[in-house]
Amino acid sequence: MAYNNIQTESKDNILYITINRPKQLNALNRETIGELSQAFKDGEANSDIQVIILTGTGEKAFVAGADIKEFANYSVEEGKSLSADGHKNLFDLVESLGTPVIAAVNGFALGGGLELAMSCHIRVASENAKMGLPEVSLGVIPGYGGTQRLAQLVGKGKAIEMVATAGMINAEDAHHWGLVNHVTFQSELLEKCQEIANAIKKNSPKAISNAIKAINAGFEEGKNGFEEEINQFGNSFGTADFKEGTSAFLEKRKPNFKGE
Ligand code: CAA
């Protein structure tokens, strides 16, 4: 499919999605959000794809936020719909995707950019990356899940400090705070993501997808993570992947999972 603002490429069962608006530091306008949404849905629907790696074009920015030019003159109603549509079409979609998503944070991840990275299941940052939620410096607040996901990842106190100061933290501090899983040289960023992806690819896609559901349930209003775990654990026993995984272990061979 042809896109205007993103590039996609599949290789070795990994889908690479690259946000490609370098002149705007890969800022997210509504069209880009729509294209990303489509690319993620297509990736999940494609059983050959076992991991998705998301990054931004260039060495300066992952994503420098929502596109400020686009929303600068929005009304209250338009602001609400921008946020609600973003949640539904992209940010919540990525978080609940059954296919694991790794954010390769290759530079600035600000505002909606950090919110997008936080929707991904795993984050790896290059050492030049800078992260922050600077929305209050524009008179607005984070609108793509940042108030919730940042607090989940780094705790309430650090989240309020980051949001209220509108400051940026570097990759080392982000690692220390638990906001990113790993920090690498820029030149090794994709390699590190591929290393994680290759470890993921050895395991049952079905079980991974169900484990993501159970983990997410613990953070969702009205859901009980422990109950979801019991359900998903039980459901595993009815899957072909479970039969294959246990048979392979007992037969002392490598499993050949089909994701079913
Ligand atoms: N939206 C639109 N355009 C953006 C942008 C954004 N979020 N961030 C950068 N750009 C554009 C700039 O306007 C500039 O375009 P022009 O050359 O046409 O002027 C181009 O990208 C390069 O940016 P700078 O010249 O500013 O580059 P810099 O190196 O001096 O600074 C920066 C880099 C610190 C990231 C700075 O660009 C910046 O502060 N960007 C805005 C960050 C921000 O506030 N993000 C939050 C957006 S609000 C949001 O995301 C709301 C939400 O939660 C839903």
Side-chain angles (χ1 to χ4, degrees), residues 85-99:
D85 291 351
H87 273 263
K88 182 163 76 83
N89 296 334
L90 183 60
F91 295 77
D92 297 354
L93 173 95
V94 172
E95 183 176 62
S96 59
L97 219 66
T99 310

Side-chain angles (χ1 to χ4, degrees), residues 17-58:
I17 304 178
T18 305
I19 301 159
N20 188 32
R21 301 185 76 216
K23 284 191 188 139
Q24 294 84 8
L25 303 186
N26 301 323
L28 299 174
N29 58 5
R30 290 186 107 143
E31 189 185 26
T32 307
I33 287 181
E35 291 183 2
L36 284 168
S37 177
Q38 191 57 51
F40 278 109
K41 283 182 194 154
D42 289 349
E44 188 179 42
N46 182 345
S47 58
D48 288 340
I49 299 299
Q50 288 177 267
V51 180
I52 299 174
I53 296 178
L54 173 69
T55 194
T57 292

